[in-house]
Amino acid sequence: MALTMNDVDRFEASRPRLEAIAYRLLGSATEAEDAVQETFLRWQAADVDRVEVPEAWLTKVLTNLCLNQLTSARARRETYVGQWLPEPLLAGDPMLGPADTAEQRESVSYAVLVLLERLSPNERAVYVLREAFAYAHREIAEILDITEAASQQIFHRAKKHVADGTARTEIDEAAARRIVDEFLAAATSGRTEPLVRLLTQDAIAIGDGGGKIPARAKAFEGALAVAKFMRGLFKPSKAKQAYVGGSPEIYATTANGGPAVIAVVDGRVVGVICLEVTADGIAAFRNQVNPDKLERATRHWAATDHGDPLLQVF
């Protein structure tokens, strides 16, 4: 059936929420956009006059599309070149969704998105719908075709898995900027010791190049190993220039609600380093350099005011 303008408007009013759900479920902005577009096609083909609660109908369709996507994504990631990391979203990106509560902000943090990869598709869906969007277990049960009791059990199990794997500390933008400034000063000092002092003893560094940009398949582990790697990352090199197409400008920003370092060449985002900060120091660097996962960040960067770079490297 052909949609009326009112039907289209009803869908568009739900689009921001649907995109935010899909991104949390899939860890990919590109795949989230595709899932939302497929949801629109389903809406277009439906007898919408018989849909009593459009928001519930759209959420159910979207969630099940994402569950199917997650199942196939697991198979694809087994053949992925190197480490797989989520697609980072820069500060102000509407796909980050609601950020009114600590739970909502936590649910889209880069560290938690990484942890969600360990959950089963159903665990991930229940966790996202409950923790980030405050759906009642009765509503989640209807969306996933499970019982309300099962939804509660799955949520408690998923929340425990996430809680066991993170010790994230909430920080504001000013604090995030200070942390990034301290990190960059230490990383470009030419010495390892200043970096080690900023890190936790069990710090890790992981990179995702997608087979297109060199990134070590195995994570660096331990403060000293991570410090040496990060110090080397900021050393000038013609090979590095060749890979990214020039000499990057380095900015301090936030990505997924946490402190981040962004590298830009001629307006193109070529790398985003997300820092996981705890009360004991920086616990993780997750470096996204796969160009396929930086296209949205580049578009968003071009549309925002970001000031002058902190430094230029390579």
Side-chain angles (χ1 to χ4, degrees):
M1 297 179 64
L3 294 181
T4 66
M5 285 303 300
N6 184 52
D7 295 330
V8 174
D9 289 343
R10 289 159 77 187
F11 181 87
E12 291 303 324
S14 294
R15 183 183 290 273
R17 179 181 55 84
L18 295 174
E19 287 188 343
I21 291 173
Y23 172 69
R24 283 168 166 84
L25 287 176
L26 300 173
S28 165
T30 303
E31 292 179 1
E33 290 173 337
D34 290 345
V36 172
Q37 185 58 28
E38 179 61 29
T39 301
F40 175 73
L41 295 177
R42 302 286 179 94
W43 176 247
Q44 194 174 37
D47 185 354
V48 297
D49 290 336
R50 300 183 64 181
V51 176
E52 295 182 4
V53 185
E55 178 180 296
W57 189 95
L58 292 169
T59 304
K60 183 180 178 72
V61 170
L62 174 82
T63 301
N64 282 284
L65 285 170
C66 288
L67 288 176
N68 292 338
Q69 183 75 7
L70 282 171
T71 300
S72 62
R74 290 192 169 209
R76 290 200 311 275
R77 286 170 196 170
E78 288 179 2
T79 60
Y80 191 83
V81 178
Q83 297 277 350
W84 186 96
L85 290 175
E87 184 175 343
L89 296 182
L90 304 184
D93 192 314
M95 197 176 279
L96 288 168
D100 299 325
T101 67
E103 290 78 12
Q104 289 172 335
R105 293 188 292 274
E106 179 82 353
S107 71
V108 80
S109 73
Y110 211 65
V112 166
L113 287 179
V114 170
L115 289 170
L116 291 182
E117 288 294 307
R118 305 177 186 177
L119 303 182
S120 70
N122 261 19
E123 287 174 336
R124 187 163 183 162
V126 171
Y127 179 87
V128 166
L129 292 172
R130 179 65 178 166
E131 193 79 345
F133 296 91
Y135 277 83
H137 284 292
R138 172 183 52 78
E139 297 171 302
I140 296 172
E142 292 174 357
I143 289 169
L144 298 179
D145 293 324
I146 58 178
T147 66
E148 188 172 344
S151 176
Q152 292 171 337
Q153 292 170 356
I154 291 170
F155 174 70
H156 289 307
R157 186 166 64 242
K159 191 168 185 178
K160 184 178 186 304
H161 287 327
V162 173
D164 287 346
T166 184
R168 183 173 176 267
T169 301
E170 275 209 88
I171 55 175
D172 59 27
E173 286 196 26
R177 174 60 182 265
R178 289 195 299 272
I179 290 166
V180 171
D181 285 346
E182 289 180 10
F183 161 66
L184 288 175
T188 56
S189 68
R191 296 183 296 122
T192 304
E193 294 78 9
L195 267 172
V196 171
R197 288 196 292 269
L198 293 177
L199 309 179
T200 62
Q201 286 301 306
D202 58 351
I204 62 169
I206 304 172
D208 177 351
K212 300 182 178 183
I213 299 293
R216 190 167 183 252
K218 185 179 179 183
F220 290 90
E221 300 180 355
L224 184 59
V226 170
K228 288 180 177 179
F229 166 68
M230 298 308 294
R231 186 191 66 184
L233 190 64
F234 285 87
K235 281 185 177 180
S237 161
K238 289 184 178 179
K240 293 173 187 174
Q241 283 185 332
Y243 274 117
V244 300
S247 182
E249 295 176 333
I250 303 299
Y251 296 83
T253 186
T254 57
N256 294 76
V261 176
I262 184 168
V264 182
V265 174
D266 296 330
R268 177 173 52 90
V269 175
V270 297
V272 177
I273 304 176
C274 295
L275 284 65
E276 182 182 345
V277 179
T278 72
D280 298 323
I282 302 173
F285 297 94
R286 296 183 174 92
N287 312 332
Q288 185 55 262
V289 292
N290 183 345
D292 293 342
K293 297 183 182 182
L294 296 172
E295 292 178 358
R296 185 181 178 93
T298 294
R299 295 197 303 271
H300 186 75
W301 186 257
T304 56
D305 180 20
H306 34 73
D308 297 325
L310 296 178
L311 57 101
Q312 192 160 19
V313 296
F314 304 170

